[in-house]
Amino acid sequence: MMNRVLIFSVLMAALCALASAGCPEGYTQRDWPDQHGNCYKLFKNAALWFHADHFCRADGGWLATIRDEGDSAFVNSFFISNRGYSCHDWYWVGGTDALNEGTWRWQQDGSVANYVNWGAGEPNNYGPGDEDGLIVNSATRQWNDDRIFGTGAPAVCFVCEMYPTERQCSIVS
Ligand SMILES: [Ca+2]
Ligand SMILES: [Ca+2]
């Protein structure tokens, strides 16, 4: 009898945890277990990388991370299917080499980008200032480094990412 009660409690707790994972309004949850079912939102506002990074942080997340081919495909199709008429072909994600020129890291956790998908000749840190923000061409999924603020910095749509929310879940016994 005790065992049954215990098993029931564990089962309910597990169901409760599953049911309570979710995303804040405006965010879409990715199919678990891909990136732990993280939440994504496309901001259809043209912004500099610098500002885009700030908006994602303000929401409790980060500019999207692309750790592998699966992330690249997911984030790109998420962008394409949600962009409507507001966004152009390019969007910002969370890679930057602002800290150390040439070393690309993710804003999510500062980890070095091992998977990369640079377009031909990129990253080139082109121009008088640094190009330290990671911008993606949705037509090819390939990357370019571009300016994060200042003269010539592009303003484009951007994708924010965050962990699923854990809501309070009480079991009445
Ligand atoms: Ca750079
Ligand atoms: Ca470049």
Side-chain angles (χ1 to χ4, degrees), residues 116-138:
V116 294
N117 192 21
W118 298 111
E122 305 295 348
N124 60 359
N125 208 43
Y126 181 79
D130 282 344
E131 289 192 320
D132 293 347
L134 183 45
I135 195 166
V136 181
N137 180 346
S138 63

Side-chain angles (χ1 to χ4, degrees), residues 73-114:
F74 173 82
V75 172
N76 204 70
S77 65
F78 182 76
F79 169 80
I80 288 174
S81 58
N82 288 288
R83 66 176 165 177
Y85 296 103
S86 314
C87 303
H88 297 292
D89 287 341
W90 297 80
Y91 58 93
W92 294 120
V93 292
T96 181
D97 75 333
L99 203 57
N100 280 355
E101 181 55 42
T103 301
W104 287 83
R105 296 177 181 277
W106 297 112
Q107 289 296 81
Q108 177 182 0
D109 53 11
S111 60
V112 172
N114 293 316

Side-chain angles (χ1 to χ4, degrees), residues 1 4 6 57 68 70 72 85 100 111-112 122 169:
M1 187 57 189
R4 279 191 194 177
L6 185 64
R57 287 169 187 271
D68 53 31
S72 169
Y85 296 103
N100 280 355
S111 60
V112 172
E122 305 295 348
C169 187

Side-chain angles (χ1 to χ4, degrees), residues 5-88:
V5 170
L6 185 64
I7 288 167
F8 178 76
S9 300
V10 169
L11 186 64
M12 284 308 291
L15 284 173
C16 187
L18 272 177
S20 63
C23 297
E25 186 160 357
Y27 279 78
T28 300
Q29 187 159 28
R30 189 167 171 183
D31 289 342
W32 195 87
D34 293 343
Q35 281 304 335
H36 318 290
N38 277 355
C39 308
Y40 294 80
K41 179 179 177 180
L42 172 63
F43 281 71
K44 295 192 248 185
N45 313 78
L48 307 179
W49 186 95
F50 179 74
H51 288 134
D53 179 59
H54 173 80
F55 284 126
C56 292
R57 287 169 187 271
D59 260 9
W62 55 86
L63 261 177
T65 300
I66 299 179
R67 264 187 226 291
D68 53 31
E69 179 67 21
D71 286 353
S72 169
F74 173 82
V75 172
N76 204 70
S77 65
F78 182 76
F79 169 80
I80 288 174
S81 58
N82 288 288
R83 66 176 165 177
Y85 296 103
S86 314
C87 303
H88 297 292

